[in-house]
Amino acid sequence: MDERYDPARVERAAQDYWDSRQVFAAREGARGEKYYCLSMFPYPSGRLHMGHVRNYTIGDVLARFMHMRGRNVLQPMGWDAFGLPAENAAMANGVPPAQWTRENIAYMKRQLRSLGFAIDWEREIATCDPDYYRWNQWLFLRMLEKGIAYKKTGVVNWDPVDQTVLANEQVIDGRGWRTGALIEKREIPMYYLRITAYADELLGALDGLEGWPDRVRTMQANWIGKSVGCEIAFPYADDTNEVMGAAGALKVFTTRADTLFGATFMAIAAEHPIALAAAQRDAKLAAFVDECRRGSTMEADVATQEKKGLPTGLHVRHPFTGAPIEIWVANYVLMGYGEGAVMGVPAHDERDFEFAGRHGIAIVGVVKSRRGAYDQVVAPWIHAYGEYGITVDSGEFSGLESEAAVDAIAAKLEERGLGAKRVQFRLRDWGISRQRYWGCPIPLIHCPACGDVPVPDADLPVRLPEHLVPDGSGNPLAKTPEFVDCACPKCGGAARRETDTMDTFVDSSWYFLRFASAGNDHAMVDGRADYWLPVDQYIGGIEHAILHLLYSRFWTRVMRDLELVKIDEPFARLLTQGMVLNHIYYRQEGGARRSYFNPADVEQRDGRSVLILDGEPVVHDGLGTMSKSKGNGVDPQKLVEEFGADTARLFMMFAAPPEQSLEWSDEGVHGAFRFIRRLWKAVHDLVSQGPLPVADFATLDAPQRALRRLTHQTLAKVTDDIGRRHTFNTAIAAAMELLNGAVRIDTSEAAGRAVAREALEVIVLTLSPIIPHVTHALWHALGHERALIEEPWPQPDPAALERELVELVVQVNGKLRGRITVAAGAPDDVVRAAALAEDNARKFINDAPVRKVIIVPGKLVNVVV
RNA sequence: GCCGGGAUGGCGGAACUGGUAGACGCGCCGGACUCAAAAUCCGGUUCUGGCGACAGAGUGUGGGUUCGAUUCCCUCUCCCGGCACCA
């Protein structure tokens, strides 16, 4: 054994061993119970960053741990390879997205390999490969047949200068990132997936996902947002009838039908048909509708913008009193949600209250709070106004509890055909059309004679041409006749191919199934998926808590209903890793464009941030997730080259528990390296003292017994920390303590060496999932023939854990005053007497009468005086 | 704005079910080794007072429950994630 720890040599040797024996190639039915361990696959942005290292190390630790516990482990890896950054890179460098993406994949794969992850690379997939995305297309056609996929219009960000659709990310303060032009909303036809048809099931099944963090389940439940309420139709008054050209009614949805008699205005979206009709004869209104059309489609922007509204001069009639209620156009009402209209009840809804206050609309209180006594609803808004209570001034419904009033009003509305109880979800259908090049083509053909015609299965995949280079003005597919021009599959006439591509969330909604059916040319999934699925442990960033995970749950159910898989839920257990954060710095360029700078290139000078290169200031934009678009990623490559993969892995796992977000800093990386070197030296020193003795643990002296106890305590703790708690940082800390104990033991005699050896072996075995390379070498050095990866996980020896004496803390009135040592398992009266006799405690008891003594076994005694 | 999460020494963090606050590591200070430096090893390190034994304070803010609160409840502040076309 070398005296010096040489990470590069050690890591090459270990990786060669694993590779040459195909240790991580998973086979269906081999070994014990299956364990499918999956980390979210990366977008191939160019280089790994520390968030990836964190994510994949967590997965690898669990995969290797379970391997040692005898499970048949599958840990695959692939590439979420379609998406916007490839198009941006193409615009910047003139390189086709396909080439850029494949080069990135090659580089990042080398990086992943150098980190020594126990991945079955035979199952690797990239979503930009036709062999993969043909099944997106195939399933989309099945959804179309079943009515799960359908076409309707949707709103997009339109850049009028570039004549192109922008992603939300490309809209900065309402302007296009390249052109700086004011963005408009534009309605275009798109394809949608009917996820709302599964809303109830997706919500209900959350209860059964016990292996998921509560916070994720809560977020999903809130996102689906089931509310039971009432649909109410307000018949048009004569003026509205006239403008709309026919009699009708304005429909709204409300959860507070009990406040119906307090409705003093109606608010409709700018795109609502009544708003459009009214705008035709009112220039001011037309200008306002136009203003609403500009600006962001993002909910966060809509929710924070100043709430504006304008009266239409038109009215509806109250369904019970017949009183006229004026219709307003409001910028906070969204056409895409509910009916695109809400009833305004200022007395009992905070947002309506503010709106009414600003526009001088009447406030009519119709519910009296049960607890808070208030006579009248007056500014400022208080919480009690919005509470349930007893209805007043509500005609025949007065004097009811709110809950009863909702039911009574709904029943009466239904009787009159003016409404009914209804369930409303916040969740909207999933729009999957993207007006972009680098994605999976939607397999449809538009024929002037036959309409929208699906591409026949036999013609799949519709291949994406890979040589195009986008220039920022629209989708290059639309300008490529070889792609667009085609024959109609039905009539054979000239037709145009659909040029929209699919949302990349489609790609990631089922990749975990394809890993389990890798290489099948004839089917999307096969029986192997039934063996491996569901994923036993899924690991990924908390930023995916809603969209990706919800879409995957939905897609899996669609495949279940098509009898392609047998599971309902794709992921049995979920670990949501916290973000790795770094500072964000940028400079404003032309248009709305910002160029970002890596924090490593920025320094603080006289209290401001400047670029080291030119000394000019940059704007600090807080902390954020490491990402390519913000330029704040940290490449692990230097770390691996300088200290090795084991140090990088150990440091990352030691820095914080996995679920916690983490501000990046490489302070402390020396500590991780130092620990590995200390462990190496400890093993080296022990084995160089001569042959390792066979242990007789029955005749140990006190320090040796103490070390043995520590060894087995540590083993139990590390097993629990890795296997149950997933707190790798505390597992590592415990192993460090054990090493501190092991190097202090006297090894001049055989018994001491035996106890030290046992301690070192426990460290090597239990840390092997985290630092697999160095432990692979050390295991051999400790005299073992068999490779560490083939060893089972060790069991603690209960006999080693026994102790005769325990130390208890003595408190007086809850304050720590002293310590006593008593026999383990001593009866309460003995413990009590010892505590009352403790010198320092006695000073604080000071002859006062003892009112109570609380004994927490093995921990403390609290004397209350 | 809405939904979810977080805040503990100079720094990362520990305290798992309400029971010793600060494990482990970094940094820093002192010492050993060295011609010297690096590396390594030993000791110290929440703050205040005290030579010390020890005492007082202390887990973002303000309140509450409890014999006892970092942990439970309420209020506020700041930070992070998501908000449907970043992935």
Side-chain angles (χ1 to χ4, degrees):
Chain A
M1 175 187 191
D2 287 348
E3 188 175 351
R4 219 176 61 88
Y5 166 56
D6 177 358
R9 238 175 81 185
V10 164
E11 290 176 9
R12 203 177 317 113
Q15 288 173 14
D16 285 350
Y17 178 89
W18 301 324
D19 288 347
S20 65
R21 283 168 182 74
Q22 302 263 297
V23 183
F24 307 122
R27 287 195 320 280
E28 290 76 16
R31 278 164 70 98
E33 198 185 339
K34 66 97 183 175
Y35 184 82
Y36 186 176
C37 182
L38 181 68
S39 293
M40 289 180 186
F41 65 166
Y43 178 80
S45 55
R47 314 189 134 229
L48 293 184
H49 57 65
M50 286 300 164
H52 293 122
V53 175
R54 192 182 197 192
N55 197 158
Y56 302 136
T57 303
I58 293 166
D60 201 48
V61 171
L62 293 171
R64 287 173 178 272
F65 175 73
M66 286 301 177
H67 179 92
M68 290 177 80
R69 312 256 338 206
R71 304 286 290 268
N72 187 29
V73 174
L74 167 61
Q75 183 175 231
M77 184 52 73
W79 308 96
D80 189 11
F82 276 136
L84 206 49
E87 299 199 21
N88 296 337
M91 280 184 252
N93 315 319
V95 181
Q99 185 191 335
W100 182 83
T101 301
R102 295 215 161 80
E103 284 169 6
N104 287 348
I105 288 174
Y107 182 79
M108 289 172 75
K109 185 172 175 180
R110 281 206 302 281
Q111 287 193 300
L112 285 177
R113 282 184 165 280
S114 76
L115 282 158
F117 297 130
I119 290 167
D120 180 359
W121 284 105
E122 287 172 27
R123 295 167 188 259
E124 179 181 2
I125 51 182
T127 57
C128 63
D129 286 344
D131 287 346
Y132 182 80
Y133 67 68
R134 68 177 294 188
W135 300 111
N136 286 353
Q137 298 173 345
W138 182 81
L139 201 80
F140 174 81
L141 295 176
R142 302 292 84 76
M143 291 190 189
L144 213 50
E145 288 161 5
K146 294 199 71 174
I148 297 168
Y150 66 98
K151 193 178 187 178
K152 70 167 183 184
T153 59
V155 182
V156 294
N157 303 306
W158 181 254
D159 185 323
V161 173
D162 261 349
Q163 294 281 301
T164 194
V165 175
L166 297 184
N168 284 336
E169 188 189 49
Q170 298 171 315
V171 180
I172 299 162
D173 299 332
R175 291 172 183 276
W177 67 329
R178 284 157 49 83
T179 63
L182 278 173
I183 294 307
E184 298 167 12
K185 289 177 192 141
R186 182 170 274 211
E187 295 218 12
I188 57 167
M190 302 211 287
Y191 290 93
Y192 285 81
L193 304 184
R194 218 179 286 280
I195 190 173
T196 52
Y198 289 82
D200 242 330
E201 190 190 339
L202 290 167
L203 180 66
L206 287 172
D207 286 339
L209 289 176
E210 281 158 17
W212 283 39
D214 285 341
R215 58 169 162 164
V216 176
R217 292 196 281 177
T218 306
M219 278 190 264
Q220 292 218 347
N222 291 338
W223 183 262
I224 295 168
K226 181 176 186 171
S227 51
V228 179
C230 194
E231 190 178 279
I232 303 177
F234 290 76
Y236 294 165
D238 291 342
D239 50 5
T240 309
N241 279 333
E242 186 192 322
V243 168
M244 297 301 288
L250 178 61
K251 272 194 205 169
V252 303
F253 176 84
T254 178
T255 56
R256 291 297 304 273
D258 59 314
T259 65
L260 175 57
F261 285 78
T264 54
F265 70 99
M266 308 298 290
I268 63 174
E271 297 87 357
H272 195 281
I274 296 178
L276 298 177
Q280 302 239 315
R281 15 160 271 178
D282 180 341
K284 247 176 90 179
L285 194 60
F288 180 63
V289 166
D290 207 48
E291 183 191 324
C292 291
R293 215 202 312 275
R294 276 193 296 276
S296 165
T297 59
M298 283 180 265
E299 188 193 297
D301 291 340
V302 174
T304 49
Q305 75 190 348
E306 192 194 342
K307 287 173 189 50
K308 291 185 187 170
L310 218 60
T312 60
L314 303 177
H315 298 79
V316 292
R317 285 185 286 107
H318 191 279
F320 290 117
T321 66
I325 303 174
E326 184 163 25
I327 303 169
W328 289 64
V329 177
N331 65 351
Y332 63 86
V333 181
L334 298 176
M335 195 59 215
Y337 183 51
E339 306 291 341
V342 296
M343 73 175 190
V345 184
H348 303 295
D349 180 276
E350 186 169 7
R351 196 169 56 175
D352 295 344
F353 180 84
E354 280 169 24
F355 190 86
R358 194 154 339 129
H359 295 105
I361 296 171
I363 297 171
V364 178
V366 291
V367 174
K368 287 289 178 221
S369 172
R370 279 168 200 150
R371 23 170 222 137
Y374 60 90
D375 293 331
Q376 255 190 322
V377 177
V378 288
W381 174 266
I382 58 169
H383 187 73
Y385 295 159
E387 289 174 352
Y388 277 5
I390 311 288
T391 52
V392 295
D393 297 334
S394 294
E396 59 183 292
F397 306 103
S398 298
L400 295 175
E401 300 273 343
S402 283
E403 294 86 343
V406 168
D407 289 341
I409 288 171
K412 186 64 100 181
L413 284 168
E414 190 156 12
E415 200 180 298
R416 297 200 188 169
L418 288 175
K421 271 206 151 179
R422 181 159 74 78
V423 171
Q424 166 87 19
F425 290 97
R426 206 187 76 95
L427 181 68
R428 310 199 292 260
D429 275 341
W430 175 12
I432 59 157
S433 295
R434 298 290 180 269
Q435 296 68 42
R436 269 185 256 297
Y437 160 54
W438 190 236
C440 168
I442 294 176
L444 281 166
I445 289 167
H446 305 292
C447 171
C450 311
D452 297 348
V453 181
V455 173
D457 286 358
D459 295 347
L460 296 183
V462 175
R463 283 176 186 273
L464 188 69
E466 294 203 348
H467 62 282
L468 304 182
V469 181
D471 61 4
S473 65
N475 184 349
L477 282 178
K479 303 171 205 161
T480 307
E482 309 92 271
F483 181 80
V484 175
D485 297 337
C486 61
C488 171
K490 251 189 196 165
C491 69
R496 286 178 59 84
R497 196 178 290 285
E498 170 69 48
T499 58
D500 280 1
T501 53
M502 294 187 196
D503 180 6
T504 55
F505 276 124
V506 168
D507 308 323
S508 55
S509 287
W510 68 282
Y511 74 108
F512 43 88
L513 292 166
R514 189 64 183 172
F515 281 135
S517 304
N520 192 327
D521 292 338
H522 312 291
M524 187 174 185
V525 289
D526 56 44
R528 290 175 290 164
D530 294 333
Y531 173 77
W532 290 112
L533 273 288
V535 172
D536 293 277
Q537 181 68 61
Y538 196 33
I539 303 117
I542 183 67
E543 77 273 26
H544 293 296
I546 295 174
L547 292 180
H548 161 61
L549 289 168
L550 192 63
Y551 291 148
S552 298
R553 296 180 63 219
F554 159 65
W555 195 278
T556 300
R557 282 172 166 78
V558 172
M559 287 184 67
R560 174 203 63 193
D561 291 346
L562 289 163
E563 297 183 352
L564 295 164
V565 297
K566 298 191 169 98
I567 50 166
D568 299 326
E569 288 290 342
F571 314 120
R573 275 180 294 279
L574 175 69
L575 193 159
T576 44
Q577 167 216 332
M579 303 286 82
V580 181
L581 308 175
N582 205 354
H583 291 276
I584 300 169
Y585 298 99
Y586 70 86
R587 271 185 200 153
Q588 200 69 49
E589 305 287 341
R593 192 195 294 257
R594 288 170 176 176
S595 24
Y596 287 91
F597 299 97
N598 196 283
D601 302 325
V602 173
E603 66 178 12
Q604 302 305 310
R605 232 181 260 171
D606 312 325
R608 11 172 252 181
S609 309
V610 300
L611 194 66
I612 294 169
L613 203 64
D614 60 14
E616 296 298 313
V618 290
V619 181
H620 181 229
D621 196 21
L623 283 167
T625 305
M626 284 190 182
S627 74
K628 187 170 183 75
S629 63
K630 295 287 163 73
N632 63 343
V634 174
D635 189 342
Q637 206 56 36
K638 259 194 234 146
L639 213 56
V640 173
E641 279 162 19
E642 196 174 347
F643 301 102
D646 282 334
T647 293
R649 296 167 58 120
L650 180 68
F651 172 63
M652 202 68 234
M653 291 301 94
F654 187 56
E659 307 230 85
Q660 197 166 305
S661 61
L662 176 67
E663 186 181 337
W664 173 253
S665 158
D666 59 10
E667 274 179 39
V669 70
H670 282 274
F673 184 64
R674 202 174 294 159
F675 168 74
I676 294 176
R677 208 161 47 187
R678 252 159 60 80
L679 179 60
W680 182 277
K681 184 172 181 298
V683 171
H684 176 265
D685 289 353
L686 184 72
V687 299
S688 59
Q689 282 180 342
L692 293 163
V694 178
D696 177 10
F697 292 135
T699 58
L700 300 179
D701 63 19
Q704 291 162 355
R705 273 207 311 279
L707 179 57
R708 262 213 101 208
R709 186 164 60 235
L710 183 63
T711 297
H712 288 268
Q713 271 171 0
T714 304
L715 173 53
K717 176 165 176 57
V718 173
T719 305
D720 188 50
D721 283 353
I722 294 180
R724 179 182 64 90
R725 298 177 66 210
H726 301 155
T727 52
F728 311 115
N729 56 329
T730 54
I732 294 164
M736 286 173 166
E737 276 184 272
L738 180 55
L739 181 61
N740 290 341
V743 297
R744 277 176 176 81
I745 199 87
D746 178 8
T747 53
S748 57
E749 289 177 72
R753 282 205 296 283
V755 173
R757 178 193 186 182
E758 189 188 27
L760 293 175
E761 291 194 343
V762 163
I763 297 170
V764 166
L765 284 167
T766 58
L767 288 191
S768 71
I770 300 169
I771 46 173
H773 308 90
V774 67
T775 49
H776 174 86
L778 292 176
W779 189 247
H780 285 309
L782 282 161
H784 299 276
E785 281 297 315
R786 191 156 62 160
L788 176 50
I789 189 72
E790 303 303 337
E791 293 292 338
W793 192 260
Q795 295 279 335
D797 175 3
L801 295 172
E802 280 166 19
R803 47 158 75 239
E804 295 103 53
L805 296 173
V806 290
E807 190 184 62
L808 300 184
V809 160
V810 180
Q811 295 182 340
V812 178
N813 289 336
K815 278 187 187 277
L816 174 65
R817 296 304 182 190
R819 289 161 203 279
I820 52 173
T821 301
V822 296
D828 280 3
D829 53 339
V830 172
V831 171
R832 179 193 162 104
L836 292 173
E838 202 279 331
D839 279 352
N840 199 46
R842 259 171 46 201
K843 282 197 290 188
F844 286 86
I845 297 168
N846 197 19
D847 293 332
V850 173
R851 290 201 290 147
K852 202 165 26 161
V853 177
I854 293 151
I855 298 176
V856 181
K859 292 236 162 117
L860 64 74
V861 186
N862 187 15
V863 181
V864 185
V865 295

